[in-house]
Amino acid sequence: MISTSPWVDDKEHLQEILARDEFNLPQGSGENWIQRAVEFVIELIADLFEWTHIPSGAANTASALVLIMAVLGLVGIIYWLFRRMIWEQKKHRPLFMDGEKIRSHADYLRDAKEKAARGEWREGERSLFLALLVYLQMKSWVRVEKWKTNWEYAEEIEANQPSLRDVFGSFAREFDAVWYGQALVDEGSFWRRVNELEGIWREEGQYG
């Protein structure tokens, strides 16, 4: 009787997975670099299964390592694609509108409350984030630029006012999810952040 090793079984199983429709990108006028990156990972996984002379006792361990590497590779690609998606969305939905004049931090906070009271939660979330961002610029802890990402603002805060790193992180996450990701506004979180920002301003003598 011929026994089939777990390694061979795993190889055949992976080949079946890679042959599915969801792993085949539609062909366009030419391959782009995203397609090449995906294909590189798939080919690498397939090549790993071509190893020969693997001791039978190590088959399970080796196949498990390959599968772990495959999962990590796919997770990395998904994360990278998500970052690119955020960049593409920012190109079509910028933080500052064309010709918009930057107002004071107090004006943005007032605007955020008024929009929330009218049920315009998404626009209110934008105004609330701008209230924080303009305040940070007024304190010379960041420099607001249309082309900057929140990661770049976070680096400036880390260097200039690290005590506000977590505050900025919570505001930025909520704003990104709502403004770029189309998530629904958590009303309770919105008003807690309003109170948090007002509290910071009172301590700094900047409220009003």
Side-chain angles (χ1 to χ4, degrees):
M1 178 180 295
I2 300 175
S3 60
T4 304
S5 71
W7 183 264
V8 174
D9 291 341
D10 285 342
K11 175 181 177 180
E12 293 175 351
H13 181 59
L14 181 60
Q15 288 174 334
E16 291 176 1
I17 293 175
L18 296 179
R20 295 176 183 172
D21 291 341
E22 56 264 34
F23 285 93
N24 295 316
L25 296 175
Q27 297 297 320
S29 57
E31 290 185 342
N32 57 36
W33 56 296
I34 296 178
Q35 289 174 309
R36 289 196 296 272
V38 173
E39 289 172 358
F40 173 79
V41 174
I42 293 175
E43 289 175 4
L44 178 62
I45 295 169
D47 288 343
L48 289 173
F49 278 107
E50 295 298 329
W51 291 344
T52 57
H53 308 299
I54 297 177
S56 58
N60 287 330
T61 301
S63 60
L65 287 174
V66 171
L67 290 175
I68 290 172
M69 290 174 63
V71 171
L72 291 176
L74 291 175
V75 168
I77 289 176
I78 291 171
Y79 175 74
W80 174 73
L81 290 174
F82 175 76
R83 291 286 296 272
R84 274 194 60 82
M85 179 187 69
I86 294 297
W87 271 101
E88 290 299 323
Q89 288 176 330
K90 287 185 177 183
K91 290 179 183 178
H92 295 93
R93 190 173 298 141
L95 175 58
F96 292 100
M97 306 304 177
D98 289 339
E100 179 179 2
K101 182 179 179 181
I102 297 179
R103 295 176 285 166
S104 72
H105 61 287
D107 285 339
Y108 279 119
L109 183 61
R110 190 177 306 110
D111 189 60
K113 292 191 212 177
E114 291 173 356
K115 283 184 166 59
R118 295 195 299 267
E120 299 172 9
W121 291 102
R122 188 166 173 275
E123 294 295 332
E125 189 69 55
R126 172 183 178 270
S127 293
L128 181 59
F129 182 65
L130 285 175
L132 173 62
L133 204 57
V134 172
Y135 167 72
L136 294 172
Q137 174 170 261
M138 182 197 68
K139 300 290 289 185
S140 299
W141 294 331
V142 304
R143 181 176 178 82
V144 176
E145 301 284 358
K146 292 183 178 181
W147 49 266
K148 280 185 180 177
T149 67
N150 289 342
W151 288 283
E152 290 168 307
Y153 287 128
E155 290 176 354
E156 292 181 68
I157 294 168
E158 182 67 34
N160 299 319
Q161 189 67 17
S163 64
L164 291 181
R165 174 187 55 202
D166 293 339
V167 172
F168 177 80
S170 67
F171 275 67
R173 282 192 298 272
E174 292 290 340
F175 169 73
D176 280 346
V178 172
W179 189 249
Y180 298 121
Q182 301 294 319
L184 295 177
V185 174
D186 182 327
E187 298 180 20
S189 173
F190 178 90
W191 290 114
R192 282 193 298 273
R193 282 178 286 119
V194 167
N195 293 334
E196 183 177 19
L197 192 54
E198 289 177 333
I200 293 172
W201 292 356
R202 287 193 188 95
E203 293 176 4
E204 294 285 338
Q206 297 293 340
Y207 186 78

